[in-house]
Amino acid sequence: MAKSLNKYGILYCHMVEPRMNTSQEATHLSLAPMRKAFRGTFIVAGGYTQEDGNIALSENRADLVAYGRLFLANPDLPKRFELDAPLNKYNRSTFYTPDPVIGYTDYLFLETTI
């Protein structure tokens, strides 16, 4: 599938790591065949920590790393990564809740927590 995308000039491929494997290392390596097959920008996601993301980039397993839940709970995530600051914990029970709308706009920024 990833190889066939090349003939369409697709700019990027965004893949999410499967979570069925209990070994984090084995899970992160599961996208290696897709990375090798796709010629464009390769984005990975799925439970990455800052350290995991940096390793994926340094080992050329990805061009970019997406941090969905971490970014949701930490609207200043790049700054927190830069400063090695503590992260807000996300609250899964507030995901996709229409009423009341909480959890998407009320996480604290770093300057309000230190």
Side-chain angles (χ1 to χ4, degrees), residues 37-50:
F38 186 71
R39 289 188 219 124
T41 299
F42 196 74
I43 306 168
V44 295
Y48 280 86
T49 64
Q50 179 182 7

Side-chain angles (χ1 to χ4, degrees), residues 63-82:
D63 297 305
L64 299 166
V65 178
Y67 296 95
R69 291 178 298 266
L70 287 183
F71 229 126
L72 175 68
N74 299 278
D76 52 359
L77 187 63
K79 188 65 158 176
R80 288 175 187 257
F81 278 1
E82 177 186 348

Side-chain angles (χ1 to χ4, degrees), residues 72 90-98 100-104 106-107:
L72 175 68
Y90 57 84
N91 182 351
R92 189 179 297 275
S93 69
T94 64
F95 292 178
Y96 311 109
T97 55
V101 179
I102 55 172
Y104 289 99
D106 55 352
Y107 285 102

